Amino acid sequence: MKKVLMQACLLLGMHIAASAQSVAPNYVNPQKIEYQFDQRKLVKPSLSKMKADSFYQVYIHKINLNLYKVSINTADSTTSKALQMPTMTGLDLDGITKAIAGIKPASTSGIVNATVREGFNGSLGYSAHNQVINKVRSLSDSMQYYKKNLNSFLGRLTTIKNRIDDLFLNVYKYQLNQQQLHPTIGINPYSYATALEDVKKVRDSITNLQVEITTSQKKYAIFETNYKDEIAQNVGLTASDKAIIDSYTKMLTGCADAQTAITADKVMALLGGMINVENNASMEYQSLPFQFKKDQATVTITIEPRKPEYGLGTFKQDLVFPLQHRSYAAVGVSFYGATLHDEPYSIVGTPSRDSIHYAVKAEKTTKAEVGITTLLRLGTKFSDSSAAGAHFSIGPGISIASTIKPRLLTGIGFSFGEKHMFTFDVGAIFGYVDRLSSAVDMAKNNFTVKPDNVMISKLSGGVFGAIGYLYRF
């Protein structure tokens, strides 16, 4: 019986050690507290196995961090700045629009016919009149050429203006999509890199257009200088010349306004928000590892909208863990009953005619003892939610008898309860007991002189059963 109990104690001790090792702190893979935010659901708490000095992390899936900020224990774990959307003032296209509206090169049609009428009504001769008409026609055709160039430049500047407007619209649509609770990830291929490439292309187009306009303007300036007198003598050519010069000036102003609309600072303001959006595109929140330092901790998770005007709710939850320790180690008091006991003997004297004869007589008593023990119990619950568990126990005890004697108890047992537990233990008990001295020959058992002491103390063992109480801190 004793051998079986010792083997059972050894097996239980190995099981408890294995259980303790399985929940030992893992510094490489912290335990996870996971939420599915779109379902408002706690997915995987894993809190009951939390040990002191172990690490844990908070994961929140399917949450748009452009709309919400997450705080843990009132400490903001992400940037608290709300997503900044570009406004129409971010891209000022008014200057370009006004410049384009003011570019109206005067038409040269009708200038020749007006010159002909002036000639017939004037005092010029026929030959001189024809020379004037041919000269005006030549200058008018040249001006018509520059007018066509200006119209071409105007079309390209209008296209640039529209491309800038489209750039702004695409960025705006992209960020509006990210303001949805469930953005359409992957459907819109537009991205920060695409927008930046569009900006570069538009800036190159503006630069090229400026170069071409400036080159054409210089050529026209040479033309206008060479025929300054002829142009001044004709009202139509003068008006057309003035309109062309004014158009060149306004065209370059329009290019400058286009460049101003997409300066480096304005591009930064426009595209900067896209970086934050793309950084949060995973729809996942993951905290840094936290270390569980005490017996019990409260984790407060707060999820609130970044802007009140979003009209979204605020969510808050307190997690208290560990919810229950699976393993336990505590000291508790029990009452035990054991097979270990004293064997009492009495000395009986019988008078005879000339003397008294003495004999040693065994007393009839219960071969058991009761006592009190203080046992250290190392155990584990059968599951995270179970109130029942098994443990290894060892500790001192004392017998309750006329002579109090110390005892050592060790064994296995079961517990029932969470914090306040009732326990039942069985095992081996060891201690000194009174036994009849080997000097006493019970076969003769006849003494003429009364023996002084027929009992001796002897180390012995037995089995015990104990019922007690245990409080798990």
Side-chain angles (χ1 to χ4, degrees):
M1 180 67 179
K2 295 179 182 178
K3 184 178 180 180
V4 173
L5 285 173
M6 294 300 293
Q7 290 177 344
C9 292
L10 179 61
L11 290 175
L12 181 59
M14 293 174 64
H15 170 71
I16 293 171
S19 300
Q21 184 177 6
S22 65
V23 296
N26 191 328
Y27 301 98
V28 179
N29 297 310
Q31 297 186 53
K32 294 182 179 181
I33 302 174
E34 296 185 69
Y35 279 89
Q36 197 75 19
F37 183 69
D38 57 342
Q39 301 176 14
R40 308 296 190 267
K41 181 179 179 182
L42 182 62
V43 181
K44 185 181 178 183
S46 295
L47 303 180
S48 59
K49 298 181 181 179
M50 195 72 68
K51 302 287 289 184
D53 294 327
S54 61
F55 286 82
Y56 62 92
Q57 283 181 283
V58 176
Y59 290 78
I60 303 177
H61 309 295
K62 302 297 182 182
I63 180 172
N64 190 340
L65 294 174
N66 298 307
L67 300 180
Y68 290 100
K69 67 175 180 179
V70 179
S71 304
I72 297 180
N73 290 349
T74 69
D76 192 2
S77 301
T78 61
T79 174
S80 60
K81 185 179 180 180
L83 179 63
Q84 297 296 319
M85 301 298 294
T87 61
M88 291 304 294
T89 57
L91 279 176
D92 186 6
L93 302 181
D94 290 343
I96 308 175
T97 304
K98 292 177 181 178
I100 292 175
I103 300 173
K104 296 179 179 179
S107 173
T108 57
S109 61
I111 295 177
V112 175
N113 292 335
T115 303
V116 170
R117 289 194 299 272
E118 289 175 4
F120 282 121
N121 295 330
S123 59
L124 290 174
Y126 183 78
S127 177
H129 178 69
N130 285 339
Q131 289 180 1
V132 171
I133 291 176
N134 290 335
K135 191 66 175 179
V136 170
R137 181 178 286 114
S138 176
L139 295 176
S140 176
D141 290 343
S142 297
M143 288 184 175
Q144 188 69 20
Y145 166 78
Y146 286 105
K147 177 198 170 185
K148 290 180 179 178
N149 284 345
L150 284 169
N151 286 332
S152 174
F153 297 150
L154 178 60
R156 290 168 61 183
L157 184 58
T158 302
T159 300
I160 288 173
K161 181 258 184 185
N162 292 334
R163 287 172 62 186
I164 295 175
D165 191 56
D166 289 342
L167 168 67
F168 173 80
L169 181 61
N170 286 331
V171 173
Y172 200 67
K173 287 166 57 179
Y174 178 86
Q175 297 201 19
L176 280 176
N177 174 59
Q178 301 305 316
Q179 284 192 312
Q180 300 182 84
L181 283 176
H182 308 293
T184 52
I185 300 174
I187 296 178
N188 186 357
Y190 204 74
S191 66
Y192 167 77
T194 306
L196 195 60
E197 184 64 24
D198 288 345
V199 169
K200 182 179 182 302
K201 290 178 180 179
V202 171
R203 288 173 65 93
D204 290 343
S205 297
I206 296 172
T207 301
N208 293 337
L209 182 59
Q210 279 182 313
V211 171
E212 294 186 36
I213 293 174
T214 302
T215 301
S216 180
Q217 183 187 39
K218 290 179 180 179
K219 289 182 179 180
Y220 184 78
I222 295 173
F223 167 81
E224 192 263 348
T225 301
N226 291 337
Y227 300 101
K228 185 175 183 179
D229 294 338
E230 289 84 346
I231 293 172
Q233 293 174 3
N234 187 281
V235 176
L237 293 178
T238 300
S240 183
D241 174 65
K242 183 178 182 302
I244 290 174
I245 292 174
D246 184 60
S247 295
Y248 274 118
T249 301
K250 290 182 178 180
M251 196 79 69
L252 291 174
T253 300
C255 289
D257 290 339
Q259 283 184 322
T260 301
I262 52 174
T263 60
D265 289 340
K266 290 190 176 181
V267 170
M268 178 64 185
L270 177 66
L271 305 186
M274 296 184 71
I275 294 293
N276 294 333
V277 167
E278 293 189 9
N279 288 341
N280 295 327
S282 64
M283 298 283 288
E284 298 285 329
Y285 170 85
Q286 176 181 348
S287 74
L288 288 172
F290 296 96
Q291 189 172 22
F292 177 47
K293 298 293 292 182
K294 299 180 180 179
D295 179 68
Q296 188 177 78
T298 300
V299 175
T300 302
I301 301 175
T302 305
I303 302 173
E304 56 185 332
R306 294 189 177 279
K307 283 185 176 182
E309 53 265 34
Y310 288 164
L312 302 172
T314 298
F315 305 91
K316 183 176 181 179
Q317 181 170 4
D318 292 334
L319 291 177
V320 180
F321 64 87
L323 302 179
Q324 176 182 340
H325 290 295
R326 187 170 178 178
S327 61
Y328 58 90
V331 176
V333 177
S334 297
F335 291 96
Y336 74 85
T339 60
L340 190 65
H341 63 282
D342 291 331
E343 294 180 354
Y345 286 85
S346 300
I347 300 174
V348 180
T350 304
S352 63
R353 189 170 47 184
D354 55 355
S355 64
I356 298 176
H357 293 271
Y358 297 93
V360 177
K361 182 180 179 182
E363 299 289 348
K364 293 181 179 180
T365 59
T366 303
K367 294 184 178 181
E369 73 173 22
V370 294
I372 299 175
T373 179
T374 303
L375 294 175
L376 169 64
R377 297 175 176 92
L378 305 173
T380 180
K381 296 298 184 180
F382 294 129
S383 67
D384 291 344
S385 58
S386 175
H391 56 255
F392 168 78
S393 56
I394 186 172
I398 57 173
S399 64
I400 302 176
S402 58
T403 302
I404 295 176
K405 294 184 178 181
R407 298 288 185 251
L408 175 65
L409 297 87
T410 181
I412 59 176
F414 300 92
S415 64
F416 304 91
E418 294 182 0
K419 285 289 187 180
H420 300 273
M421 297 186 290
F422 293 98
T423 60
F424 174 74
D425 296 89
V426 294
I429 182 171
F430 304 94
Y432 285 93
V433 294
D434 291 340
R435 294 289 185 265
L436 184 65
S437 173
S438 60
V440 178
D441 187 355
M442 292 298 291
K444 296 179 179 180
N445 198 14
N446 185 14
F447 303 93
T448 57
V449 178
K450 183 179 180 180
D452 291 334
N453 189 4
V454 297
M455 306 301 294
I456 62 171
S457 292
K458 183 178 179 180
L459 182 63
S460 183
V463 294
F464 79 92
I467 296 176
Y469 167 80
L470 182 67
Y471 179 76
R472 180 176 64 171
F473 292 93

